[in-house]
Amino acid sequence: MRWLMLYARSRQVPASLATVLISAVGVWALTRDGSAAHGGSQLPAVVLTTGAMALSVGLGGQDLDLDRGAAIRWAPRRAAHVLFGGAIVGTAILTVQAVGQDLATTAFVARDCAGLAGLAAFGAAVAGGRYAWAFPFTWLAFASLAPPSATSVPGKVATWMLLPTGTPAATWTALCLAMVGTTLYALAGPEALTLPAGRVPRRGQGADRYRNRRRGS
């Protein structure tokens, strides 16, 4: 249990959870009078994207070399981080709906949470945890600016997070993002596509570095 607490602290999980809770409370405050209950998919998509952005902050450690060189199996931990993070974001908005107004169906929340969590994980694998938030944010901004009448497959892929459930293009886009992003992040880790090859330490080298740092202090 100690390693779990240390992992949560190193990945800024408390700060991410606080952001998700604040977003959920904000949604409840905006929708408790029913004025935003029929505002379409824009508001729930914004809330879920905010949660994914908060999740992405913790997808990179404070010492990348130390993480990569640690003699532990990172892949299951990374995959669990993405999956549980997406589940927490979805649970937050569903809980708000249970005590307030309905904003989206459970299927809509599950689809967008899966796709956005995978997109955040993909961003972490490409650019690291510091900049992973830009990937879901940019996609949401592009989807919001796209023509609402786009009926082509590329148009539906671009606006997948705003489309109603049952749209095949949106469902497959979310599934692909979830699978590719989570798998890439779990197996390769943060900044996998941008880290110079010379900086990738051997397994177990991080523990040696940590011991040498302790001896020198």
Side-chain angles (χ1 to χ4, degrees), residues 6 39 53 67 87 91 118 120-121 135 138-139 172 179 188 192 194 197 211:
L6 293 175
M53 292 166 60
D67 283 355
T91 302
F135 286 70
T138 302
W139 201 312
W172 282 108
M179 294 177 61
T194 57
R211 284 194 292 269

Side-chain angles (χ1 to χ4, degrees), residues 9-82:
R9 290 178 57 187
S10 67
R11 293 303 187 270
Q12 305 180 54
V13 172
S16 298
L17 287 176
T19 303
V20 172
L21 291 176
I22 291 173
S23 300
V25 172
V27 172
W28 174 81
L30 290 173
T31 61
R32 60 179 177 174
D33 59 351
S35 58
H38 305 287
S41 59
Q42 193 81 23
L43 180 58
V46 169
V47 176
L48 294 173
T49 302
T50 302
M53 292 166 60
L55 164 69
S56 69
V57 175
L59 295 180
Q62 298 178 4
D63 191 324
L64 187 59
D65 293 335
L66 186 61
D67 283 355
R68 287 181 174 275
I72 59 176
R73 297 181 60 190
W74 276 112
R77 291 171 172 82
R78 290 173 181 148
H81 189 159
V82 176

Side-chain angles (χ1 to χ4, degrees), residues 91-177:
T91 302
I93 190 172
L94 290 176
T95 302
V96 169
Q97 291 190 154
V99 298
Q101 298 291 330
D102 289 339
L103 297 176
T105 63
T106 302
F108 181 94
V109 173
R111 183 200 67 189
D112 277 25
C113 279
L116 288 167
L119 185 58
F122 181 82
V126 173
R130 291 176 298 175
Y131 306 109
W133 62 269
F135 286 70
F137 174 82
T138 302
W139 201 312
L140 174 64
F142 180 78
S144 300
L145 297 175
S149 59
T151 58
S152 62
V153 174
K156 291 180 179 179
V157 170
T159 59
W160 67 270
M161 66 179 69
L162 301 177
L163 296 178
T165 56
T167 307
T171 302
W172 282 108
T173 301
L175 287 175
C176 289
L177 288 173

